[in-house]
Amino acid sequence: MSKEKRRVPKLRFPGFTEDWEQRKLIDIAKTFIGLVTTMTENYRDSGTLLIRNSDIKEGQFVFSENPIHLDEEFAEKNKTRKLQTGDVVTVHTGDIGTSAVIEEKEAGAIGFATINTRTDKSILNPYFLATYFNTEKHKCYANSVSTGDGRSNYNIKDFNKLVISIPPLDEQERISVLINDINTIITLHQRKLDNLKLKKKALLQRLFPKNGERYPELRFPGFTDVWEQRKLGDYLSIPEKEILEVASSDDLITVKLNLGGVELGASRDTLSLGSTVYYKRYAGQFIYGKQNFFNGSMGLIPINLDGKGSSGDVPSFNVSNIEANYLYTYVSRESYWRSKVAAASGTGSKRIHEKTFLDFNIDVPSMDEQKLISNTFDLVNRFITLHQRKLEHLQLQKKALLQQMFV
């Protein structure tokens, strides 16, 4: 007769050896839904804090600059729904399963259509429970039972069916503290990243002239000449069409959205259709997506993608007589490309054709100033990429821990 499989996690703090106990959530906690009635007429600038599903992130609440509050009299009539310190609040609609714990600063708030759990703290640490709710295991369950055509809904009847494995309270606390520390580090890195992006945005606004002006607000020492206004067509030219024989998606270039860069691999499988013609593209060329111009689909082709291809809907241009990174930085400013909507063609998906693009204006300083501006943003982008990678690495570490530290 085979031995019963032990209920223990793969990774554990030293000194803990006993099996985890399986318990029904509703036996060790009280669950209830937040208010689901229409409340807009009771919104106030101050009063009782309202927690919406969108305010709940993994292990924390992130409110907008001006959080929504409820009229005190209205809130008092619904005082049984008020949240207490230690309550676990879970997303009911949207990013279902994501959870955070009510602390002193949120105590007394009311959730709008949130799933709320009040644990028996002699058995179940709320921070441990919230950490479990944020695991991939729980979120997979939540998604498997979710309803809704557009946004997913996590119904409380399915939530109440949860059976969870729990260790002793001291082990629950150790796990909770570790994950909380990691969450704090991730939050700090996210803030650093956000701060760098804000600094870049400020530089983009100040190092280029505003519309109709000939000088930028901020300038490197020694440069005083007026900037010239030219056309992109003065620096970009359409290359001769060289058809590329495509064997696989690895022969193709994808220009990612939101200025995500240029990378290898087709964004969708069109190769089997045999109806699309692809053209050779070369390193240093400027490339953009006609249909996704207003989604930030543009970039410079890196050296490792030299000779790869894209369709006529993703054209490229030779760059001459201008610093290529300066041109890309100028054109990739959101304030620039969003201002070109009136020049787009098409009624549904707006497109920017090559000739239209080449007719756009560009402000140009001397080559030396172009290089300084280009080098500045190259450095800022490197810092942003570095912080983004650190953040992603931390998130992967956290994910791995969550997978190994729970049964």
Side-chain angles (χ1 to χ4, degrees):
M1 180 179 261
S2 62
K3 291 183 179 180
E4 184 180 351
K5 184 178 179 181
R6 295 197 64 196
R7 192 174 292 112
V8 292
K10 292 180 181 178
L11 185 64
R12 208 166 188 185
F13 288 102
F16 297 101
T17 58
E18 59 191 280
D19 282 19
W20 287 28
E21 183 183 5
Q22 273 197 322
R23 299 292 298 269
K24 292 180 179 179
L25 179 64
I26 56 174
D27 288 344
I28 52 177
K30 173 188 174 183
T31 64
F32 59 101
I33 284 283
L35 282 175
V36 292
T37 183
T38 300
M39 292 182 284
T40 51
E41 63 183 23
N42 293 294
Y43 284 2
R44 302 289 185 268
D45 293 331
S46 62
T48 298
L49 179 66
L50 180 70
I51 296 178
R52 298 169 298 172
N53 285 276
S54 59
D55 300 324
I56 308 167
K57 308 303 176 186
E58 286 196 8
Q60 62 180 324
F61 297 98
V62 180
F63 299 99
S64 63
E65 191 174 335
N66 298 302
I68 297 173
H69 293 79
L70 296 174
D71 175 76
E72 291 285 14
E73 186 177 343
F74 172 81
E76 186 60 25
K77 290 178 181 177
N78 295 279
K79 62 182 179 182
T80 58
R81 304 295 182 98
K82 286 189 175 183
L83 296 160
Q84 301 175 9
T85 302
D87 286 349
V88 181
V89 186
T90 301
V91 174
H92 166 265
T93 302
D95 186 17
I96 57 175
T98 300
S99 302
V101 178
I102 294 291
E103 298 187 339
E104 285 187 16
K105 58 183 178 297
E106 297 96 19
I110 291 178
F112 178 55
T114 56
I115 298 176
N116 310 310
T117 308
R118 188 166 296 157
T119 68
D120 178 346
K121 294 184 179 63
S122 66
I123 301 172
L124 183 57
N125 183 309
Y127 290 94
F128 173 84
L129 181 63
T131 302
Y132 169 73
F133 285 161
N134 288 322
T135 62
E136 191 172 349
K137 178 180 179 180
H138 172 250
K139 289 194 174 185
C140 283
Y141 167 76
N143 280 296
S144 71
V145 297
S146 67
T147 60
D149 296 328
R151 303 184 72 193
S152 298
N153 295 309
Y154 190 4
N155 296 320
I156 195 164
K157 65 179 179 64
D158 295 310
F159 182 77
N160 285 336
K161 293 176 183 177
L162 281 169
V163 176
I164 63 173
S165 296
I166 58 173
L169 275 172
D170 50 352
E171 189 172 2
Q172 292 180 38
E173 185 176 358
R174 291 284 297 274
I175 293 169
S176 304
V177 169
L178 174 62
I179 299 301
N180 182 66
D181 288 345
I182 293 173
N183 283 339
T184 300
I185 296 169
I186 287 173
T187 299
L188 289 173
H189 276 276
Q190 184 65 63
R191 286 175 184 167
K192 286 181 181 180
L193 179 61
D194 292 343
N195 190 43
L196 274 172
K197 289 180 178 179
L198 285 173
K199 287 182 177 179
K200 177 183 176 181
K201 185 177 180 180
L203 283 174
L204 287 170
Q205 291 172 342
R206 300 182 68 195
L207 281 172
F208 294 95
K210 293 181 171 62
N211 287 339
E213 297 183 7
R214 310 267 57 141
Y215 299 93
E217 180 184 337
L218 183 66
R219 208 161 187 189
F220 292 98
F223 295 98
T224 57
D225 292 343
V226 66
W227 287 32
E228 291 185 69
Q229 189 173 81
R230 305 287 289 271
K231 299 288 186 182
L232 285 174
D234 294 333
Y235 306 106
L236 298 176
S237 59
I238 300 173
E240 290 186 17
K241 291 184 177 181
E242 297 178 66
I243 294 177
L244 177 69
E245 295 297 327
V246 176
S248 74
S249 61
D250 286 340
D251 293 322
L252 300 177
I253 288 172
T254 290
V255 187
K256 298 176 72 176
L257 307 181
N258 303 313
L259 308 179
V262 185
E263 64 179 25
L264 191 67
S267 58
R268 59 184 184 273
D269 185 12
T270 57
L271 300 176
S272 60
L273 301 178
S275 59
T276 303
V277 177
Y278 297 95
Y279 303 97
K280 284 187 179 181
R281 311 303 185 192
Y282 293 100
Q285 290 181 332
F286 180 89
I287 190 169
Y288 79 98
K290 289 181 184 179
Q291 290 180 298
N292 283 310
F293 181 78
F294 297 106
N295 291 314
S297 176
M298 61 188 76
L300 294 172
I301 299 175
I303 188 68
N304 64 305
L305 299 184
D306 186 67
K308 301 298 181 180
S310 67
S311 72
D313 279 337
V314 188
S316 67
F317 302 89
N318 293 326
V319 184
S320 60
N321 301 317
I322 193 171
E323 215 287 323
N325 283 305
Y326 169 82
L327 182 142
Y328 168 70
T329 303
Y330 187 98
V331 173
S332 66
R333 293 175 299 145
E334 188 171 353
S335 60
Y336 179 81
W337 46 267
R338 287 219 182 275
S339 69
K340 307 301 181 185
V341 174
S345 61
T347 53
S349 178
K350 297 289 185 180
R351 299 165 67 92
I352 293 292
H353 292 282
E354 293 101 309
K355 289 184 179 179
T356 303
F357 182 71
L358 294 175
D359 197 46
F360 289 162
N361 291 329
I362 181 172
D363 295 309
V364 184
S366 68
M367 185 62 76
D368 287 341
E369 194 168 2
Q370 289 177 40
K371 289 178 179 177
L372 279 172
I373 293 170
S374 176
N375 291 340
T376 297
F377 284 106
D378 181 63
L379 185 62
V380 171
N381 288 334
R382 286 175 186 269
F383 276 124
I384 288 174
T385 300
L386 178 64
H387 278 78
Q388 184 70 56
R389 286 176 180 166
K390 282 183 179 179
L391 182 61
E392 290 170 356
H393 181 65
L394 281 167
Q395 289 167 335
L396 285 173
Q397 284 185 318
K398 176 187 170 183
K399 183 178 179 180
L401 282 172
L402 289 174
Q403 288 173 338
Q404 296 183 71
M405 296 189 76
F406 284 82
V407 174

